[in-house]
Amino acid sequence: MNLSVKIFISLVLSVIVGLIAGEAGLPFIKWWIAPVGTMFINLIKMMIVPVVFFSLVVGITSLGDTKKLGRIGFKTVAIYLFTTAIAITIGFVVAGIIGPGVGADFVAGAQPKVKEAPYIMQVLLDMIPSNPIDSMAKAAILPTIVFALFIGVGIVKVGGERADLLIRFFDAGAEVCYKVIAIVMDLAPIGVFCLLLPVVAANGPKVLLPLLTVIACVAVGCTIHAVGVYSTMARIFGKHSPVDFFKGMSEQMMIAFTTCSSAAALPVNMKNCQEKLGVKREIASFVLPLGATLNMDGTALYMGVCTLFVANVYGVPLGFEQMMMVVLTGTLASIGTAGVPGAGLIMLAMVLQSVGLPLEGLALVAGIDRVLDMFRTCVNITGDGAVAVVVNASEEGNN
């Protein structure tokens, strides 16, 4: 059985059992079941720093010869990161209007300790670690990301056999992290059940409505991003009308929507971008595979929605500085979690941690993650095609 199906079943079971148990069953649930959910949260937290560091170094070194790939690589990565930042912002705006979780008081008694938002310049200053090992030990995400970026660039600059040795080391480390995360995600149905059961038992049916608003926010936000950002990019730079663009992307969008896998849609995306959208083979061969692992716009939008949802549920106001921290962390983390199973929840855990929101909020969205994954994967693959069109048009201008 698919893992997402198992998680959804655990969500349903937690609701059923929680409604049956009610407040009478809370003492037993809190003593014997809730700690298992905390263990699951700790397992996720355990892997955040290792997977960011190893996978980000591998991502940078995979670009290879910086002189050969410099121009196309820079444009591709810059556009991907730019659209990712826009996606998170759209998620914030849509969630701010719809207000998922507003008025939900079923965890109000938790009184989480939330970090005060630092000034922007302080954030930029803290991004540069004076002691990277200390930053990793404290699970400071932004300094870890910056350190990994410099290590990756340094390895590429060294080149030769010494660099190959390090590349193999980090690649092996990343693969180990992926396997461990796969093991942790296999435990997700149990973790979600144990995290949600106390909430449902204590609060009853009123816990369900906020989840429907989260789905609505993500669906609306993904539609706005695909139509407002991607089709506009294709029209301005690639001279494709929105109708032509979505017609050329329709097959791979449906594959992505039904499989929730960018990799599954990649072969069709490469074929149709060349045949229907006129992207050159050498451009499609570089931009689209890179996008399948690097472009996380749909997940970024989901993070913006879910971060505001968790903040609303816990009654924590997010200031402008904290929202900017979410945008910055989410954009950079989209590189660090490339290709990671369960990347959505891992990235959300990083973002929640960066602004001091409780990671227990993950359980509130994990049960509907499959539905949300359909929308965000569809947006991801659409973004790959749009960026390929833009890069192809820019390279034609240079020729």
Side-chain angles (χ1 to χ4, degrees):
M1 186 183 297
N2 186 279
L3 177 61
S4 299
V5 176
K6 292 180 181 178
I7 294 176
F8 180 77
I9 291 174
S10 74
L11 168 67
V12 175
L13 287 177
S14 68
V15 172
I16 295 174
V17 175
L19 292 176
I20 293 174
E23 294 187 6
L26 273 180
F28 176 84
I29 292 172
K30 290 183 176 181
W31 185 259
W32 294 103
I33 297 178
V36 178
T38 304
M39 293 178 190
F40 174 67
I41 292 295
N42 289 343
L43 286 172
I44 292 179
K45 293 170 67 176
M46 176 182 72
M47 294 309 301
I48 289 177
V49 169
V51 74
V52 167
F53 183 66
F54 280 105
S55 60
L56 189 53
V57 171
V58 170
I60 297 300
T61 56
S62 65
L63 293 176
D65 186 354
T66 55
K67 293 182 179 179
K68 180 180 179 181
L69 300 176
R71 186 176 71 247
I72 297 177
F74 175 79
K75 286 189 290 189
T76 301
V77 173
I79 297 172
Y80 280 142
L81 295 183
F82 177 69
T83 57
T84 298
I86 293 178
I88 299 177
T89 305
I90 291 175
F92 272 132
V93 173
V94 173
I97 295 174
I98 297 179
V102 172
D105 58 356
F106 44 83
V107 292
Q111 296 180 347
K113 296 180 180 179
V114 180
K115 303 175 184 176
E116 293 184 2
Y119 292 109
I120 292 296
M121 289 307 299
Q122 186 63 44
V123 172
L124 296 177
L125 180 63
D126 292 341
M127 284 176 59
I128 310 300
S130 59
N131 185 340
I133 304 302
D134 182 61
S135 296
M136 293 181 185
K138 294 178 179 177
I141 301 303
L142 283 178
T144 301
I145 289 175
V146 171
F147 179 60
L149 287 171
F150 275 97
I151 293 296
V153 172
I155 292 174
V156 172
K157 292 293 185 181
V158 169
E161 294 183 0
R162 290 177 295 180
D164 290 340
L165 178 64
L166 285 173
I167 291 173
R168 288 196 297 271
F169 168 76
F170 282 105
D171 184 59
E175 288 299 322
V176 171
C177 289
Y178 300 158
K179 294 299 183 183
V180 174
I181 289 175
I183 295 172
V184 173
M185 294 309 297
D186 283 339
L187 302 175
I190 299 174
V192 168
F193 178 84
C194 294
L195 285 167
L196 284 182
L197 184 58
V199 177
V200 177
N203 299 277
K206 65 181 180 180
V207 73
L208 300 178
L209 182 59
L211 298 182
L212 298 179
T213 60
V214 172
I215 295 175
C217 285
V218 172
V220 171
C222 286
T223 302
I224 293 174
H225 192 62
V227 176
V229 177
Y230 294 149
S231 67
T232 301
M233 290 168 54
R235 177 63 180 267
I236 294 175
F237 299 100
K239 308 303 179 184
H240 292 285
S241 70
V243 174
D244 290 339
F245 173 70
F246 285 115
K247 185 176 180 180
M249 293 295 302
S250 59
E251 292 181 12
Q252 51 268 48
M253 288 173 67
M254 288 304 301
I255 293 175
F257 188 82
T258 54
T259 64
C260 297
S261 171
S262 295
L266 180 59
V268 178
N269 203 15
M270 293 184 68
K271 176 178 179 291
N272 287 350
C273 280
Q274 295 176 58
E275 296 179 358
K276 298 183 179 181
L277 296 177
V279 178
K280 293 182 179 178
R281 182 178 180 181
E282 58 268 26
I283 300 295
S285 298
F286 174 77
V287 174
L288 295 178
L290 184 63
T293 54
L294 180 64
N295 179 34
M296 306 278 283
D297 284 8
T299 305
L301 190 149
Y302 148 93
M303 285 192 300
V305 171
C306 291
T307 300
L308 198 54
F309 167 66
V310 172
N312 289 339
V313 165
Y314 282 88
V316 179
L318 288 182
F320 177 78
E321 290 84 1
Q322 285 175 305
M323 289 187 181
M324 290 301 98
M325 174 70 80
V326 171
V327 172
L328 185 59
T329 305
T331 301
L332 295 178
S334 67
I335 305 174
T337 55
V340 179
L345 290 178
I346 296 296
M347 288 177 65
L348 183 57
M350 296 178 195
V351 171
L352 293 179
Q353 184 167 289
S354 71
V355 293
L357 290 172
L359 291 184
E360 286 74 13
L362 289 174
L364 299 175
V365 296
I368 57 172
D369 191 63
R370 169 70 181 189
V371 178
L372 303 179
D373 200 11
M374 295 168 74
F375 290 103
R376 65 185 186 232
T377 305
C378 185
V379 167
N380 288 345
I381 203 72
T382 308
D384 296 344
V387 173
V389 168
V390 172
V391 173
N392 184 75
S394 67
E395 286 301 302
E396 287 180 349
N398 292 325
N399 295 332

